[in-house]
């Protein structure tokens, strides 16, 4: 069993490129070139240099002593929250902006939900002097005002997505429509391990720096490269894909995914795609997604805008279907409590997305000698208002 | 011979109209089809509404959203169409995104189309290669012609490939855009139309996107066999209703 992408762009039965002909030239150009470009020494050099000097990598692998004491196991936190712009998203946008340059593109578009990916895209566009247009659901624009301001300050144009449910999935539709209407000079920086092949694989490979570092960092600290478990939250699944990547084929390393259960898996207000989803096609990719019996895509719900996506990337559908990954889903309340707990025990305020991963201890008991690495995908600054409201701070 | 193939042999420029099933009202489907045929339309594309129509601009998006709100589903559409061949003889094509078909079951969907008398399918997000590998046998078993799109960006090599897989006509998207995004044609379109005409393809071409009136219909069909109007027709029924569709069609065909 392989957990990597095959030459046709599928993970098992999931993936592929179900795109209209209008997108074919762009997606095909990318498919034919992405591995070659990523393999070029000059690309690698520039990518690594920027990750080091601009993003601040390697991000620390931090042994969370008090959290470990509480749950009677050994917990490490992979500190993606300390990256420039405050989340793992920037690993991907750095990679993709270099890709866009090498493909000769002049204009960059992106979708964003919480605004983290939008900020990370606006940031790299400012860095490279490229035009940047970010599509964001009208509803998300209202609930993520600070990130909208950040994008504007970075020189990006934020375009409200007014169609459908006016959240992340509609912002993604609008970005795809923009790409259809601008077929020559534009690169679309997708923000998660979703979309038509080669996006899930390309985003995964850019994010795989996370597990690459975990290996040598853990070797230094524990004398072994391999933890017993890696844990991450899943929206579309990019921080998870990067955290799992170098452990996928080593079945001694357990893979744990935590989705957003919203107000409860079966409450009708949830984003627990692995449980509620069925196989189908969303944004050009065959994967598990939340939909009606009639095949209409439904609107998910989560307190965290970054997990509010009705699908998961095809890698994760494959991990779920094959049983390689253990999937849990944490409710809004469980996530908020886990976030507060991390703040109190370790002095780290996580993004609410990340708090879902931290809620894994509600669902699974680990052995005292287990070594667990949790992807601390982002910091909580952007969520302060949510925390304030929720806890009456 | 399939009704589409027959129609393509008529020596005339074909007018095809797209509408979204379930819009403006849930049960308008049959009336729209009958009135379009009476008005002299040559072919009809029945749009299955989808929650996330990636290739469509605001007009068709809005009609899809409304149709879904009205309660349109794949099964209901089939139910509405079950006696359509008692009154309508022109070719009917179902146009929709792949996910609802996948959920209905591709084979069940095709079987139902055949039973009703649907002649072909246009599925923008089912690429040629995936169709060939996984679905061509099923579609053909039920006598359905699958129609593929080309755009000004499609390479000649790929157009030849699409031509080789096509069995009815090629849907020539007039410009790199979503539906309803642009109206009217410029130099870019003229040279694209000429380039395609010069390729002498085995399948006739029908132009879509950007056609809204007599002028654009005539421009589009100078070389091509026909043209498809979508967004402009949706705007017409939005403003004027579904009764006097000849008001929309006559000026184009006159
Ligand atoms: C901090 C953080 N973690 C996780 C996510 C979810 O995305 P993904 O599943 O692609 O990692 C987001 C998305 O906005 C985020 O901002």
């Amino acid at each position: 069993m392989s957990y990597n992408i095959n030459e046709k762009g599928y993970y098992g039965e999931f993936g592929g490129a179900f795109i209209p002909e209008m997108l074919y030239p762009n997606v095909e150009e990318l498919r034919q070139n992405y591995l070659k470009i990523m393999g070029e020494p000059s690309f690698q050099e520039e990518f690594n240099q920027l990750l080091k000097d601009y993003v601040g990598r390697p991000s620390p692998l931090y042994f969370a002593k008090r959290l470990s004491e509480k749950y009677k196991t050994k917990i490490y936190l992979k500190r993606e929250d300390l990256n420039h712009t405050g989340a793992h998203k920037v690993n991907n946008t750095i990679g993709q902006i270099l890709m866009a340059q090498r493909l000769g593109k002049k204009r960059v578009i992106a979708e964003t939900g919480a605004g983290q990916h939008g900020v990370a895209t606006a940031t790299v566009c400012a860095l490279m002097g490229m035009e940047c247009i970010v599509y964001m659901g009208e509803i998300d624009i209202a609930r993520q005002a600070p990130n909208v301001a950040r994008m504007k300050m970075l020189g990006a144009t934020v375009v409200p997505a007014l169609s459908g449910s006016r959240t992340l999935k509609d912002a993604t539709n609008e970005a795809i429509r923009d790409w259809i209407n601008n077929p020559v000079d534009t690169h679309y920086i997708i923000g998660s391990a979703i979309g038509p092949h080669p996006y899930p694989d390309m985003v995964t490979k850019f994010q795989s720096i996370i597990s690459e570092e975990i290996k040598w960092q853990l070797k230094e600290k524990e004398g072994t490269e391999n933890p017993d478990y890696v844990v991450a939250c899943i929206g579309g699944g990019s921080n998870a894909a990067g955290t799992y990547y170098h452990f996928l084929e080593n079945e001694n390393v357990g893979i744990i995914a935590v989705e957003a259960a919203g107000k409860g898996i079966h409450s009708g207000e949830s984003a627990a795609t692995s449980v509620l989803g069925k196989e189908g096609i969303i944004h050009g990719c065959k994967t598990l997604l939340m939909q009606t019996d009639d095949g209409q895509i439904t609107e998910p719900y989560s307190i965290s805008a970054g997990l509010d996506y009705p699908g998961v990337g095809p890698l994760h559908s494959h991990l779920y279907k094959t049983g390689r990954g253990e999937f849990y889903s944490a409710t809004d309340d469980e996530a908020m409590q886990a976030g507060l707990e991390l703040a109190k025990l370790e002095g780290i305020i996580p993004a609410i997305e990340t708090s879902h991963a931290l809620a894994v201890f509600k669902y699974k008991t680990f052995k005292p000698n287990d070594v667990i690495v949790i992807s601390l995908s982002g910091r909580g600054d952007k969520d302060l208002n949510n925390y304030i409201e929720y806890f009456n701070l | 011979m399939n009704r589409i193939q027959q129609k393509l042999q008529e020596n005339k420029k074909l007018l095809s109209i797209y509408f979204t099933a379930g819009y403006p009202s849930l049960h308008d489907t049959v009336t729209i089809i009958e009135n379009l045929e009476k008005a002299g339309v040559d072919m009809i594309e029945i749009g299955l509404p989808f929650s996330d129509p990636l290739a469509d601009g605001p007009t068709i998006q809005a009609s899809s959203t409304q149709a879904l709100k009205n309660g349109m589903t794949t099964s209901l559409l089939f139910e509405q169409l079950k006696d359509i061949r008692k009154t309508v003889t022109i070719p009917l094509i179902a146009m929709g995104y792949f996910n609802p078909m996948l959920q209905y079951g591709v084979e069940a969907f095709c079987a139902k189309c055949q039973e009703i008398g649907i002649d072909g399918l246009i599925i923008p997000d089912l690429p040629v290669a995936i169709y060939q590998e996984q679905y061509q046998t099923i579609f053909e078993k039920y006598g359905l012609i699958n129609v593929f799109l080309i755009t000004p960006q499609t390479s000649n090599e790929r157009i030849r490939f699409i031509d080789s897989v096509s069995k009815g006509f090629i849907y020539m998207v007039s410009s790199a855009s979503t539906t309803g995004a642009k109206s009217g044609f410029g130099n870019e379109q003229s040279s694209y139309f000429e380039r395609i005409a010069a390729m002498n393809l085995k399948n006739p071409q029908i132009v879509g996107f950007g056609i809204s009136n007599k002028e654009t219909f005539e421009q589009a069909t100078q070389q091509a066999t026909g043209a498809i109007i979508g967004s402009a027709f949706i705007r017409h029924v939005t403003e004027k209703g579904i009764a006097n569709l000849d008001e929309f069609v006559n000026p184009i065909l006159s």
Side-chain angles (χ1 to χ4, degrees), chain A residues 58 211-221 225:
Chain A
S211 48
E212 191 183 312
E213 288 173 3
I214 291 173
K215 288 190 98 156
W216 63 258
Q217 289 171 319
L218 202 63
K219 177 93 183 166
E220 279 179 11
K221 292 178 200 294
E225 289 189 334

Side-chain angles (χ1 to χ4, degrees), chain A residues 48 86 118 217 237-238 284 290 329 365:
Chain A
N48 289 325
Q217 289 171 319
S238 67
M290 292 166 55
S329 42
T365 309

Side-chain angles (χ1 to χ4, degrees), chain A residues 227-231 244 247 250-256 324 326:
Chain A
D228 295 292
Y229 295 95
V230 280
V231 181
Y244 306 158
F247 305 113
N250 179 354
E251 308 237 4
N252 295 323
V253 179
I255 285 175
I256 298 180
R324 175 71 182 95
E326 268 175 75

